[in-house]
Amino acid sequence: MCKYKHTTMKAQILLILIGCLSSCGFARGQNSSSDNVKTEKKNIYVLGTFHFREHNFEKYPQDINSEIKKAIRYKPDIVCVEWIDKSEELDLYNENYSSNIKHLIETEKIDTTDIQHIIDNIYLQLAKNPHDINSRSKLANYLYVTRDYINACYQWYLIGDEVKDSTKLKILLPNDINTYRKSLYGDPRNQKREIVDIAFPIAASLSLPKIHAIDYRHDESEYSQHINAFSDRFYKQYGYDPMQRKSEPLQKLFVNLLETDRLSKQSTYIEKLNSKEFEKSIFNYYYDMYLSFAYDPDYRIWHELQLEKRNWKIFELLARAIQESKARKTFVLVGATHKYYLERYLNETNMFSVANYKDVK
């Protein structure tokens, strides 16, 4: 039975907001009457995309290079992506993660006694000599052991640009390099290529040392069982899955819009995902779903955990990344439906300046 009390969701959101803003330093103390200085807003550019592993949209124009160049011209201080924060310690994308860590520690003789200190020192060394491939490969392994998977892969990405000769690459790097690059690069069931193909080139072009992971999936096993129970119950009683039936008109409308644009060469797929038209469609879809099924306890729990809580946690992790890095400008790459929620939360706090997709040149 889910212990999450959906009846107190609004109160919990308010408490989380207060706690997040206070701990992140966004909220100013009320005891200082002489402090009338306005807090400078943080600039955010959120690019909505799709997970390249999930759809076959090769026939639609995407023009990824154009999106990369646009983000580089924006000159963000940090790049954030939809990948689970390492603090969650979940093996969602690679079921062999824990065993790989153990194997890597043994084969590479990784010292784990003061691993964060070692990582910090390697980052300092690479800041002075970014072409030190041995240090970078060592950093990748240490990051992987600390479950900072996305940055381990980012380091391998940077090495790949430095070493073009695959034979030389095998000599310089550990023999089991692919055991943990697999789930991002090679396994079609698990890869999230939008991170590799969009976020990595942006960060590399700007010489950013790391990528910030801001996804939250801690409740996935819990909310999945509720939405499955909801769908199964309706199918047995009425002969259809309400989630599928409700989403079919939206999907059909979107595919028709894409096809029309493709033939007329009006816009790319990513441009459509970041349009007000798509935002309105997503809002109408979730609003209709909630009005139709809010009475159902399983659907309500799924809605609050998967949509409200997860997206709020993404916002919280983004705020934390901005504060810890002292970033003034941030680029965020997330799924287009997350973009809708994330921008809503960012705008509601009135502490961020969210860039309009069409205004970013």
Side-chain angles (χ1 to χ4, degrees), residues 4 13 21 26 28 36 54 77 89 93 144 149 166 168 192 214 227 239 266 284 286 293 314 342 345:
Y4 185 74
I13 286 179
L21 296 181
F26 289 123
R28 304 187 69 85
N36 295 320
E54 293 178 350
D77 300 308
E89 299 185 358
Y93 299 110
Y144 185 82
Y149 178 77
S166 60
K168 186 178 180 182
K192 297 185 76 171
I214 60 169
I227 201 63
Q266 289 181 353
N284 289 340
Y286 284 127
F293 304 113
I314 291 174
L342 187 56
Y345 294 145

Side-chain angles (χ1 to χ4, degrees), residues 315-334:
F315 162 71
E316 186 180 331
L317 288 167
L318 172 61
R320 185 183 304 166
I322 292 171
Q323 177 62 16
E324 290 178 352
S325 64
K326 296 180 173 58
R328 301 179 71 178
K329 298 180 73 174
T330 301
F331 171 77
V332 185
L333 182 71
V334 291

Side-chain angles (χ1 to χ4, degrees), residues 89-257:
E89 299 185 358
L90 299 179
D91 295 1
L92 287 173
Y93 299 110
N94 188 338
E95 60 186 11
N96 299 317
Y97 204 136
S98 296
S99 59
N100 285 347
I101 287 177
K102 183 178 179 181
H103 178 65
L104 198 60
I105 290 173
E106 293 173 351
T107 56
E108 297 302 317
K109 297 180 175 57
I110 293 177
D111 181 10
T112 60
T113 54
D114 194 2
I115 195 166
Q116 189 56 53
H117 179 69
I118 294 173
I119 289 173
D120 292 341
N121 281 337
I122 299 176
Y123 269 122
L124 290 173
Q125 293 171 21
L126 287 170
K128 298 176 182 177
N129 184 10
H131 301 292
D132 184 350
I133 297 173
N134 289 318
S135 291
R136 199 170 290 283
S137 62
K138 181 180 178 181
L139 174 61
N141 285 330
Y142 274 79
L143 289 170
Y144 185 82
V145 168
T146 63
R147 292 185 174 272
D148 193 350
Y149 178 77
I150 203 68
N151 278 304
C153 288
Y154 178 53
Q155 297 306 318
W156 291 127
Y157 173 86
L158 295 174
I159 290 170
D161 283 348
E162 292 291 337
V163 182
K164 305 298 183 182
D165 187 342
S166 60
T167 304
K168 186 178 180 182
L169 184 66
K170 290 178 180 178
I171 295 173
L172 286 170
L173 306 180
N175 293 327
D176 60 348
I177 175 178
N178 287 323
T179 61
Y180 66 91
R181 286 212 301 178
K182 181 180 178 182
S183 60
L184 192 67
Y185 284 84
D187 189 341
R189 296 170 304 170
N190 297 317
Q191 62 179 317
K192 297 185 76 171
R193 293 287 310 196
E194 72 275 12
I195 294 176
V196 178
D197 293 343
I198 298 178
F200 281 10
I202 293 169
S205 295
L206 295 167
S207 300
L208 301 181
K210 63 180 66 176
I211 304 289
H212 296 263
I214 60 169
D215 195 10
Y216 176 85
R217 304 287 289 274
H218 190 71
D219 299 311
E220 181 167 320
S221 60
E222 186 176 1
Y223 63 65
S224 293
Q225 65 183 6
H226 286 287
I227 201 63
N228 290 336
F230 167 74
S231 295
D232 291 345
R233 186 169 62 256
F234 263 78
Y235 192 84
K236 289 176 182 178
Q237 187 172 357
Y238 302 107
Y240 69 91
D241 180 352
M243 295 292 287
Q244 182 177 355
R245 177 168 289 189
K246 288 283 186 180
S247 64
E248 282 176 353
L250 175 64
Q251 292 175 357
K252 185 177 180 180
L253 171 66
F254 193 58
V255 169
N256 287 340
L257 289 172

Side-chain angles (χ1 to χ4, degrees), residues 45 67-76 201-203 205-206 331:
Y45 172 32
E67 300 298 337
I68 292 172
K69 291 176 182 177
K70 183 192 294 188
I72 291 172
R73 289 193 295 269
Y74 184 74
K75 295 182 179 178
I202 293 169
S205 295
L206 295 167
F331 171 77

Side-chain angles (χ1 to χ4, degrees), residues 16-30:
I16 293 172
L17 173 59
I18 295 172
C20 171
L21 296 181
S22 298
S23 62
C24 291
F26 289 123
R28 304 187 69 85
Q30 295 181 354

